[in-house]
Amino acid sequence: MNPAIIAALLSAFICPGSGHFYLKRYNTGTLLSVVSLSGLVYLLYRAVERAQAISDRILSGELPLDFGVIFQEINQAGAHGDDMAITLATLAFVISWFIGVIDAYRIGKNRPQAK
């Protein structure tokens, strides 16, 4: 299989930067991996924090154990005013993933093929 396709598939389905590691571009691979995984970790941290706050309100009796009420509470905007941080983390994650796939394909395509 073509190295460009392998690198793009690795970056698309494993982790951004893994295609760069395959192509021996370790610095770029590390940068893409760190940026995307940092964004993902922050998003997961905020989701767990929000779930914990809602479950605490359910356990204290402040929120009824009703799916509609809980669903509405989940979908409400964040009360901490960190919507910008969540948006930036999401953008960092998505953009680094996209750049990782495109750049891995580009580098693999320009790489001389061994015969």
Side-chain angles (χ1 to χ4, degrees), residues 95-106:
I95 290 172
S96 65
W97 202 296
F98 182 73
I99 288 173
V101 172
I102 299 299
D103 193 47
Y105 183 79
R106 180 189 63 83

Side-chain angles (χ1 to χ4, degrees), residues 5-63:
I5 294 173
I6 293 172
L9 289 174
L10 285 171
S11 286
F13 294 116
I14 303 297
C15 177
S18 60
H20 289 81
F21 289 119
Y22 173 76
L23 296 170
K24 297 182 180 19
R25 298 288 181 111
Y26 301 115
N27 291 337
T28 307
T30 301
L31 178 67
L32 287 169
S33 295
V34 166
V35 169
S36 65
L37 293 177
S38 296
L40 181 61
V41 165
Y42 180 76
L43 292 172
L44 289 173
Y45 171 77
R46 294 296 301 142
V48 168
E49 187 179 67
R50 181 112 172 117
Q52 184 66 43
I54 291 172
S55 66
D56 287 344
R57 291 179 60 198
I58 292 170
L59 291 175
S60 71
E62 187 178 336
L63 280 177

Side-chain angles (χ1 to χ4, degrees), residues 50-89:
R50 181 112 172 117
Q52 184 66 43
I54 291 172
S55 66
D56 287 344
R57 291 179 60 198
I58 292 170
L59 291 175
S60 71
E62 187 178 336
L63 280 177
L65 193 55
D66 178 28
F67 178 75
V69 174
I70 295 170
F71 186 74
Q72 183 180 16
E73 192 68 25
I74 290 170
N75 288 326
Q76 282 184 351
H80 301 291
D82 60 350
D83 291 336
M84 185 63 149
I86 291 173
T87 302
L88 288 175

